[in-house]
């Protein structure tokens, strides 16, 4: 509001690596945060323009006029054309274009056209006339096309080309009177490979839009694709690697130059008839001139007749395309890859490039030895900022870069790299050059920014301390700089650190909060010599969707006297402040907030200002004081609904407590008076909400303005505050001067101490010189830039002791004797925090008080231990009757008994729990068996073929209940009465018709009777509908027709449908019964056949054993067929012993049964082993068998005569020789008989196997016939008809 003041933009800094454009020879423009920045690189002068719309998205400049275009962010974005000569005022607003955003925009030099390419979701090219802002024409692009650049032709002013990630497209603006259209031609890129290079054998390279040709159907159309996807589809076997365009530029000699990703360069001729290869890596002998990505950006210099190319290797090359060959000249080198290139218009004397490290360099083409100007904006997002006593702005980025900015003009004074991610920063109000940075690893880094040299500021690290285990999200100094507070995102402690260099930045103590700390604010203007701290806690209380979210605020106070005598306010030796000593209170707000601060307080209450999470309004709550450690709910006392539009943000209070500044994710910054926040306020749009809005804000100590950093736009803004009332700024200046006078003497001492402090060096590595680099010394032509940067490593010990001087190891305590057991003292880890080190030290101090007592206790325990061991050794040598159990040596008999009782009780509970669990499982098994097995009239089972095939299963059915039987009989009787009634009525109607037709003769009646075909058949005297389509079921095909069914045309009411359902169920049951009967027959057949087959298999095994002697491979092929668990489901209800893989644990009853069973088996075994006369006689007389088999006889060999074994054959006499010949003849006859028997056995085996095969095939045929019959029964269809009737009934009843 005008009665309070106004926030006016002063300067903005930040470049996120986007496009750069030339406005004139020395001035470029680029997007800086939410603003449009003009930058004169020669004199380093900047001028910003605020967006006329909602932020800045894409920009472009006119090559011949001082015009620039800005596209805004958001839905249905407009493009604003501004004239620099008119102070940047808008001369045209171009609408009707993109739906969401633009990919790129560009001006035409001669025709005042503006071409814009939209992105998701429409992907369209638009052409406007910049004279009257009229949209001339538009055309759709390929969906998903990512356009990287647009270039207008130097010859044909109505022609422009665009390049995508896959191809190049050429557009021609065609005009007929007042009608415009875009004619698109797509250039088909040539094939390209590493081995062969570019191949240009295609007959045509242009694919025209609206090119009507008649050809065979495309493969993609056959596959079902339609639209643009048809032309884009390429079969996998036809896909080849093609030339990938990266940049384009029109050629004065005619045609379009296209640079490739692999360092190739081609020329599309002016007639667009063929492609000419200018540079191809495999074909060129000088391989060093070709680098992958050397044509990231291109621009044709008309004045010089050369092609300028910026590559990914950081080089700017000049290419002379004059035939017969292409010559390449290296102009300039950057430290990183080049992303954008802009050539100055008209004279083409200056080229500006943007590199990947967000650096901008201007190079003169007349002299390329050095760059004219060089500016480094650095990468990474700003995360924190603050102001030092010299009114300089200190910022830090998430990647660890620290920068110092001049407040008046926004120029960078120095930068410094910590080489570690950071999250917070604070400048000391006491020492001008002291900066404290909080890292993501939990370290506090103390920097000295006042070590000035002749050319620049030299920043050095003086100390590093580990305070947290996670990210330090807040670092805050009090207004006098005597102490600072730190908190982490996952920690509950707020640490108080001495902020003076003379104290070596020693940590004083910490305040424990109930939960994790989200944000932290300090207000020192409410009470003298005391600072009021406000902290927002993370809400981790479980809440339901119905409960409104709440926020807890912790408020406490820290004074100078408290810090001077901190030991008097600690609760324990861990240096934790007592909550009552600091007046800690937890206040609950019925709102969800992210930042809060105490704006007013008195002896009885606090007034807390927040930004509401519900309606984004500025709200003040009041809470009572004097209630430490007691949570209370604050009461709302004021509200300003005209506030922010999005939640979140930061709230900062001026040093004198009179002005409060707020920000949020909407990008707006609102400045209010604490006395009257509703009326006295002003605001401005600092950042865009699409980029996350504002991350942090800072109100300068003298009230001159507000500095802000964006959440995701990598920019820092400075807005000057012009107050309507002069006393508002004057009071802030006077308050700051008052603070300066109070600490003036202390400041001089501490600054002197800071300047004398040594550089901090990691203890684990040798010292390395700290470094900083100025932005002007970023690059050099064709030489590597050597930049010195300090490499900060997080070491184990990050205390003040870890400087160049090392501490001596402490002396150990007096060693204990060998006979005394010592407990090892716990030591902190190598990378311990301050609190862990303090706890270890405190425990050591606490333990030292009881050293003598513990030493005596250890000695007494040692003596007692030796005595007990001696008694146990003596006990081991006593007789068994005199020995004691080992547990009797336990001195505490009561504890031993308690342990045994507890063990027995636990064992009893576990056994009881297991017993109940087993009982539950048995009951569940009983219920399942009863429901699914015992109560089933027909048990469900399957039937599998023997040779493989489809499995047939029967229909499981339950018994018909009494109620179902009564209902079925009732429906049948009712339906029978209905049919009788219909028959009687039909007869009466027939008699009435006969009496009225007296003109019809008897002969005619007989003829009609003979010729008429009856429409209905009769079953039991009742008509039955022949058409099954009108019948209620297909069951007549299986069971014959049922006269009781209703026709489909008779189901009009609920009663008839219910009756039809009952009849259908009965019919379905009959079908299932009929099928189950046939199933049981086939099932019993399989059982019978399996028994026979198993008998034949046993005979086959016996024959194979007899023939081969032992079990061989042939025997292994004979396998008995058995029924599995699907065919005999009762097997699943019984657990066999072989199925239990673990050792079975028996209870007492089962153990008794097992012992009795073992006794019976042992008795039977003893009786069997006793002398049995019958068996012994059978064994002695008939070799243990009652009937001698032929194979047993053939197994016996012919006895060998004794003289054959005693004499040689030549020593036989005549009688022995004849006996020997008879013996040989008998052996031959025996072998012949054995061979005959073996062949007969083999024939029997083959016959048995053939019989088995025939039996298996016969059964499979029967099973297949059963399977086909089941399919023909259509039981599922009958069930669906039944369900349809039930659904109709539900519809009739409204269910």
């Amino acid at each position: 509001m005008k009665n309070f003041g106004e926030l006016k933009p002063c300067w903005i800094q930040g470049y996120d690596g986007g496009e750069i454009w030339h406005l004139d020879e020395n001035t470029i423009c680029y997007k800086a945060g939410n603003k449009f920045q003009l930058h004169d690189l020669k004199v380093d002068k900047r001028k910003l323009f605020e967006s006329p719309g909602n932020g800045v998205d894409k920009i472009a400049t006119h090559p011949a006029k001082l015009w620039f275009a800005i596209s805004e962010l958001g839905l249905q974005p407009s493009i604003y054309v501004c004239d620099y000569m008119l102070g940047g005022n808008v001369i045209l607003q171009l609408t009707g274009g993109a739906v969401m955003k633009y990919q790129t925009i560009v001006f035409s030099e001669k025709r005042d056209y503006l071409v814009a390419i939209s992105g998701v979701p429409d992907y369209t090219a638009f052409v406007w006339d910049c004279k009257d802002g009229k949209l001339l024409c538009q055309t759709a692009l390929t969906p998903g096309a990512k356009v990287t650049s647009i270039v207008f032709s130097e010859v044909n002013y109505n022609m422009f080309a665009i390049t995508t990630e896959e191809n190049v497209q050429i557009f021609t603006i065609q005009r007929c009177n007042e009608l415009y259209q875009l004619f698109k031609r797509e250039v088909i890129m040539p094939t390209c490979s590493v081995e062969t290079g570019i191949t240009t054998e295609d007959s045509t390279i242009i694919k025209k839009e609206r090119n009507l040709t008649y050809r065979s159907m495309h493969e993609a159309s056959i596959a079902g694709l339609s639209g643009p996807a048809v032309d884009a589809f390429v079969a996998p076997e036809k896909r080849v690697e093609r030339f990938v365009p990266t940049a384009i530029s029109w050629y004065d000699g005619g045609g379009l130059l296209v640079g490739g990703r692999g360092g190739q360069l081609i020329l599309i001729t002016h007639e667009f008839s063929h492609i000419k290869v200018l540079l191809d890596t495999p074909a060129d002998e000088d391989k060093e001139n070709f680098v992958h990505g050397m044509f990231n950006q291109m621009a044709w210099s008309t004045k010089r007749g050369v092609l300028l190319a910026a590559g990914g290797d950081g080089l700017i090359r000049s290419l002379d395309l004059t035939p017969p060959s292409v010559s390449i000249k290296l102009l300039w080198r950057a430290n990183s890859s080049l992303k954008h290139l802009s050539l100055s218009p008209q004279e083409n004397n200056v080229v500006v490039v943007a590199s990947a490290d967000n650096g901008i360099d201007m190079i003169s083409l007349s002299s390329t030895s050095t760059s004219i100007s060089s500016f480094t904006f650095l990468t990474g997002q700003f995360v924190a900022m603050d102001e030092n006593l010299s009114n300089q702005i200190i910022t830090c980025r998430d990647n660890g870069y620290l920068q110092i900015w001049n407040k008046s003009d926004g120029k960078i004074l120095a930068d410094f790299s910590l080489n570690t991610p950071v999250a917070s920063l604070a400048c000391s109000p006491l020492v001008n050059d002291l900066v404290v940075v909080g890292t993501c690893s939990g370290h506090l880094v103390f920097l000295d920014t006042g070590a000035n040299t002749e050319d620049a500021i030299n920043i050095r690290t003086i100390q590093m301390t580990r305070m947290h285990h996670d990210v330090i999200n807040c670092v805050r100094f009090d207004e006098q700089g005597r102490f600072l507070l730190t908190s982490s995102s996952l920690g509950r402690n707020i640490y108080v650190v001495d902020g003076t260099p003379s104290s070596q930045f020693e940590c004083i103590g910490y305040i424990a909060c109930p939960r994790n700390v989200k944000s932290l604010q300090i207000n020192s203007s409410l009470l003298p010599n005391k600072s009021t701290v406000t902290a927002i806690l993370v809400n981790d209380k479980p809440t339901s969707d119905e409960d409104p979210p709440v926020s807890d605020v912790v408020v406490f106070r820290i004074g100078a006297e408290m810090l001077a005598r901190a030991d008097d306010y600690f609760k324990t030796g861990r240096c934790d402040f007592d909550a009552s000593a600091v007046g800690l209170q937890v206040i609950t707000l019925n709102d969800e907030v992210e930042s809060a601060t105490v704006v007013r307080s008195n002896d009885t209450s606090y007034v807390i200002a927040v930004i509401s999470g519900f309606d984004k309004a500025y709200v003040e709550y009041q809470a009572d004081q004097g209630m430490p450690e007691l949570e209370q709910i604050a009461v709302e006392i004021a509200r300003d609904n005209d506030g922010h539009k999005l939640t979140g943000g930061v709230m900062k209070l001026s040093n004198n407590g009179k002005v409060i500044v707020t920000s949020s994710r909407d990008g707006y910054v609102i400045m209010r008076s604490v006395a009257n926040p509703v009326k006295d306020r002003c605001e401005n749009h600092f950042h865009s909400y699409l980029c996350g809005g504002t991350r942090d804000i800072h109100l300068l100590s003298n009230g001159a303005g507000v500095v802000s950093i964006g959440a995701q736009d990598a920019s820092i803004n400075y807005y000057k505050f012009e107050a309507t009332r002069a006393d508002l700024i004057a009071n802030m200046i006077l308050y700051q001067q008052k603070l300066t006078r109070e600490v003036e003497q202390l400041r001089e001492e501490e600054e002197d101490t800071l300047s004398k402090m040594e550089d901090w060096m990691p203890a684990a590595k040798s010292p390395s010189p700290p470094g900083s680099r100025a932005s002007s010394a970023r690059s050099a032509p064709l030489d590597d830039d050597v930049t010195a940067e300090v490499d900060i490593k997080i070491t184990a010990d990050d205390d003040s002791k870890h400087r160049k001087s090392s501490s001596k190891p402490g002396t150990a305590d007096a060693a204990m004797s060998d006979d005394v057991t010592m407990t090892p003292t716990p030591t902190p880890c190598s990378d311990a925090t301050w609190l862990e080190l303090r706890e270890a030290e405190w425990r050591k101090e606490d333990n030292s008080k009881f050293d003598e007592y513990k030493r005596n206790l250890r000695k007494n325990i040692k003596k007692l231990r030796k005595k007990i061991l001696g008694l146990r050794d003596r006990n081991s040598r006593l007789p068994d009757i005199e020995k004691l159990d080992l547990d009797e040596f336990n001195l505490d008999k009561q504890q031993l008994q308690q342990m045994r009782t507890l063990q027995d009780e636990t064992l009893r509970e576990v056994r009881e729990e297991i017993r109940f669990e087993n009982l539950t499982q048995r009951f569940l098994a009983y219920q399942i068996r009863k429901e699914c097995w015992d109560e089933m009239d027909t048990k469900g089972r399957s039937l599998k073929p023997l040779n493989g095939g489809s499995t047939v299963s029967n229909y499981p059915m339950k018994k018909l209940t009494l109620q179902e039987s009564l209902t079925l009989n009732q429906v049948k009787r009712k339906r029978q009465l209905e049919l009788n009634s219909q028959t009687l009525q039909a007869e009466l109607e027939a008699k009435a018709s006969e009496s009225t037709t007296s003109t019809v003769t008897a002969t005619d009646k007989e003829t009609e009777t003979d010729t008429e075909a009856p429409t209905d058949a009769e079953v039991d005297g009742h008509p039955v509908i022949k058409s099954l389509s009108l019948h209620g079921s297909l069951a007549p095909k299986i069971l014959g027709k049922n006269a009781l069914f209703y026709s489909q045309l008779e189901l009009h009411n609920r009663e008839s449908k219910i009756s039809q359902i009952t009849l259908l169920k009965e019919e379905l049951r009959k079908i299932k019964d009929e099928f189950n009967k046939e199933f049981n027959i086939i099932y019993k057949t399989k059982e019978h056949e399996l028994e026979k087959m198993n008998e034949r298999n046993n005979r086959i095994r016996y024959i194979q054993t007899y023939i081969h002697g032992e079990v061989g491979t042939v025997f292994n092929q004979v396998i008995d067929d058995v029924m599995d668990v699907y065919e005999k489901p009762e097997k699943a209800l019984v657990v066999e012993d072989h199925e239990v893989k673990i050792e079975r644990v028996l209870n007492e009853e089962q153990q008794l049964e097992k012992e009795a069973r073992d006794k019976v088996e042992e008795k039977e075994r003893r009786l069997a082993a006793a002398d049995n006369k019958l068996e012994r006689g059978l064994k002695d007389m008939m070799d243990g068998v009652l009937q001698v088999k032929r194979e047993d006889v053939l197994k016996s060999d012919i006895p060998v005569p004794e003289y054959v074994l005693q004499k040689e054959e030549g020593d036989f006499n005549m009688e022995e020789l004849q006996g020997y010949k008879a013996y040989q003849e008998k052996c031959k006859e025996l072998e012949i008989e054995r061979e005959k028997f073996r062949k007969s056995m083999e024939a029997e085996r083959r016959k048995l196997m053939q019989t088995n095969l025939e039996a298996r095939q016969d059964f499979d045929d029967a099973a297949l016939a059963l399977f086909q019959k089941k399919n023909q029964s259509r039981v599922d269809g009958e069930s669906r008809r039944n369900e349809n009737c039930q659904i109709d009934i539900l519809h009739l009843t409204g269910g």
Side-chain angles (χ1 to χ4, degrees), residues 659-924:
V659 178
I660 189 169
V661 184
T662 62
S663 69
S664 78
R665 297 186 182 95
D666 59 0
Y668 282 86
V669 175
I670 302 178
M671 195 171 182
R672 291 180 172 89
S673 171
V674 176
N676 191 357
V678 178
K679 296 182 179 180
D680 295 343
R681 60 190 295 274
C682 64
E683 65 180 46
N684 208 326
H685 195 192
F686 281 52
H687 303 272
S688 173
Y689 73 94
L690 294 174
C691 295
T694 306
R695 181 187 294 272
D696 195 9
I697 55 175
H698 176 72
L699 176 62
L700 298 182
S701 58
N702 57 5
V706 177
V707 184
S708 71
I709 56 176
Q712 298 174 9
D713 57 7
S715 67
I716 174 173
N717 289 281
Y718 173 61
Y719 277 64
K720 187 177 181 181
F721 176 56
E722 295 181 356
T724 305
R725 293 164 27 210
D727 61 335
L728 186 65
I729 302 297
N731 290 336
M732 297 175 69
I733 295 175
L734 290 176
Y735 187 83
Q736 187 65 24
Q737 292 175 354
K738 174 187 173 184
L739 293 178
T740 303
R741 289 193 299 270
E742 290 178 356
V743 296
E744 184 175 0
Q745 182 178 358
L746 179 61
R747 175 181 291 111
E748 294 177 357
E749 297 175 357
E750 296 299 336
E751 287 182 350
D752 183 63
T753 304
L754 180 66
S755 62
K756 296 179 180 179
M757 293 183 69
E758 298 178 352
D759 292 352
W760 178 86
M761 291 295 173
K765 62 182 289 185
S766 59
S768 59
S772 64
R773 61 193 185 101
S775 59
S776 59
R778 190 181 59 86
S779 58
L782 304 180
D783 291 325
D784 293 331
D785 177 32
V786 180
T787 303
E789 294 184 357
V790 63
D791 186 13
I792 295 181
K793 299 295 183 181
I794 309 303
T795 58
D797 298 320
D798 39 20
D799 203 287
S800 58
K801 297 180 292 184
H802 294 154
R803 299 180 182 276
K804 294 181 179 180
S805 59
S806 59
S807 59
K808 296 181 179 180
T811 58
D813 295 338
M816 300 291 292
S817 59
D818 295 339
D819 58 346
V820 180
T821 303
M822 290 292 294
T823 303
T825 304
T827 57
C829 61
S830 59
D831 197 14
T833 62
W834 172 86
L835 181 58
E836 292 172 344
L837 295 174
R838 178 57 193 163
E839 285 184 347
E841 184 179 353
W842 172 66
R843 292 182 183 277
K844 184 177 180 181
E845 293 176 357
D846 187 65
N847 292 336
S848 63
K849 299 177 183 179
F850 306 96
D851 284 346
E852 187 64 28
Y853 176 78
K854 289 188 290 184
R855 185 180 294 106
N856 296 332
L857 186 61
R858 291 191 189 98
K859 290 181 179 180
N860 294 334
I861 292 174
K862 186 68 174 179
K863 292 178 180 179
L864 184 60
R865 177 174 176 270
K866 290 181 178 181
K867 185 176 181 180
I868 294 176
L869 290 177
L871 293 175
R872 290 179 58 180
D873 182 63
R874 179 181 176 185
N875 180 69
S876 63
R877 295 191 296 269
L878 294 175
D880 294 340
I881 194 172
E882 298 181 8
K883 282 185 180 180
L884 299 176
D885 295 334
L886 293 180
D887 57 359
E888 296 185 26
F889 286 92
N890 191 343
L891 301 182
D892 194 345
K893 294 291 184 179
Q894 183 178 0
Q895 183 181 4
L896 178 61
Q897 186 62 31
Q898 289 178 356
M899 292 173 59
R900 291 177 177 176
T901 305
L902 180 61
Q903 182 180 1
D904 295 340
E905 183 67 22
T906 304
L907 186 61
R908 187 188 64 78
E909 292 177 357
V910 171
R911 286 176 177 173
E912 192 71 12
E913 183 180 355
I914 295 174
R915 188 176 70 85
F916 280 112
E917 181 67 23
N918 294 338
L919 183 61
T920 303
Q921 296 296 333
R922 287 197 297 270
F923 178 75
L924 181 60

Side-chain angles (χ1 to χ4, degrees), residues 1157-1275:
R1157 193 164 53 251
D1158 292 343
K1159 289 181 180 179
V1160 174
E1161 293 177 357
E1162 181 66 22
K1163 184 177 180 181
E1164 293 177 354
R1165 187 167 53 254
R1166 290 179 180 177
L1167 292 175
D1171 187 13
N1172 192 334
K1173 298 179 179 179
L1174 296 178
E1175 292 183 0
R1176 183 161 49 84
L1178 182 64
K1179 183 70 175 177
D1180 294 341
M1181 293 185 294
M1182 303 186 66
D1183 201 14
V1185 294
L1186 295 175
Q1187 182 179 1
V1188 179
K1189 297 181 181 180
R1190 184 184 179 189
E1191 53 265 30
D1192 295 335
V1193 174
L1194 294 177
K1195 286 182 180 179
S1196 302
D1197 295 331
I1198 303 298
V1200 181
E1202 293 182 359
Y1203 56 84
V1204 173
L1205 301 176
Q1206 297 175 356
K1207 299 180 181 179
E1208 294 292 338
E1209 185 175 355
D1211 299 334
F1212 293 164
N1213 54 27
M1214 185 61 65
E1215 183 180 356
E1216 290 176 346
L1217 187 60
Q1218 292 178 354
Y1220 180 69
K1221 289 181 179 180
Y1223 165 74
Q1224 289 180 341
E1225 291 178 357
K1226 290 181 180 180
C1227 288
K1228 291 179 180 180
E1229 292 177 357
L1230 181 62
E1231 288 298 328
I1232 293 172
E1233 291 295 327
R1234 286 179 177 176
E1235 185 64 25
K1236 290 180 180 180
F1237 185 74
R1238 187 180 295 108
K1239 290 182 179 180
S1240 64
M1241 295 281 281
E1242 180 65 23
E1244 182 184 359
R1245 183 185 69 82
R1246 292 178 180 177
K1247 183 178 180 180
L1248 292 175
M1249 293 182 65
Q1250 182 64 27
T1251 305
N1252 282 347
L1253 292 176
E1254 293 174 355
R1256 294 170 70 93
Q1257 186 62 39
D1258 293 341
F1259 174 77
D1260 288 354
D1261 295 340
L1264 179 61
L1266 184 66
F1267 177 77
Q1268 293 175 351
K1269 185 170 184 179
K1270 182 178 181 181
N1271 291 338
Q1272 294 174 0
S1273 64
R1274 299 184 180 180
V1275 175

Side-chain angles (χ1 to χ4, degrees), residues 2 4 72 95 310 339 383 397 428 456-457 556 570 646 665 720 798 861 864 870 890 894 1067 1110 1180 1192 1263 1272 1292:
K2 295 295 182 68
F4 180 68
E72 65 178 350
T95 59
K339 297 170 56 180
V383 292
R397 298 177 183 260
S428 174
I457 298 176
F556 60 89
F570 291 150
L646 293 176
R665 297 186 182 95
K720 187 177 181 181
D798 39 20
I861 292 174
L864 184 60
N890 191 343
Q894 183 178 0
E1067 206 72 12
E1110 294 181 356
D1180 294 341
D1192 295 335
Q1272 294 174 0
L1292 290 174

